[in-house]
Amino acid sequence: GNDNHLWCNVIKLPEHIPKSAIVYGDAKGEGRVENCKIKAWALYTKYIQVNSDFEINIPGEMRRKYNRLMKNYDGWMTQNDQYDMNKLLLLFDPLIEQMISLLTDSFRRFSSTKPFLKLRELILL
């Protein structure tokens, strides 16, 4: 199950934060798999595609893999039948794990800085 994935064990988001319009919105597809593929493509164009507004920092080979898979919308929607619901649900796990790794490394460095140590003393962490 998903409990084996690093990010599922690290990230616990509060219930009151805004939900993603892409993930929680209506994709207007014909069925669950098509809806997921539409949403996956929307996430790809927002976060993975080169020069996208919210381009994430991932290794080039990882980005090339997603580009080969999803760069062409029609190709993604019609020629990737091997992506069933289970594969679609796990499609972005490598990206999520990469982001967690970067955040963890950054926090580790930050947590040894003087401002962080001073703040920790103030709030008794």
Side-chain angles (χ1 to χ4, degrees):
N2 280 350
D3 291 340
N4 296 328
H5 296 281
L6 169 68
W7 65 270
C8 289
N9 296 319
V10 174
I11 297 180
K12 301 293 181 208
L13 299 174
E15 289 297 319
H16 65 278
I17 65 168
K19 305 285 189 233
S20 164
I22 294 173
V23 174
Y24 291 93
D26 183 6
K28 308 237 186 291
E30 297 179 14
R32 291 178 62 210
V33 170
E34 187 171 306
N35 281 340
C36 279
K37 288 179 89 171
I38 292 169
K39 291 176 181 191
W41 188 80
L43 291 169
Y44 162 78
T45 59
K46 185 172 183 176
Y47 297 108
I48 304 166
Q49 196 172 49
V50 175
N51 296 322
S52 60
D53 289 342
F54 298 96
E55 184 178 347
I56 59 175
N57 183 14
I58 56 174
E61 184 52 43
M62 188 178 280
R63 189 176 314 278
R64 285 187 290 277
K65 172 192 165 203
Y66 287 93
N67 284 342
R68 283 190 300 271
L69 185 64
M70 304 177 83
K71 191 169 189 171
N72 177 285
Y73 178 80
D74 291 331
W76 164 246
M77 293 303 294
T78 61
Q79 298 172 4
N80 290 296
D81 292 336
Q82 75 271 21
Y83 280 87
D84 62 8
M85 200 64 179
N86 289 331
K87 283 188 179 179
L88 287 168
L89 292 173
L90 301 175
L91 180 64
F92 295 121
D93 277 14
L95 299 173
I96 295 168
E97 291 171 5
Q98 177 69 26
M99 296 295 92
I100 295 294
S101 175
L102 291 173
L103 288 169
T104 302
D105 291 343
S106 295
F107 182 74
R108 191 175 299 121
R109 287 190 305 275
F110 172 66
S111 66
S112 64
T113 64
K114 287 182 182 179
F116 178 83
L117 295 173
K118 187 172 183 177
L119 179 62
R120 190 173 77 178
E121 284 179 23
L122 287 173
I123 57 175
L124 303 171
L125 286 176

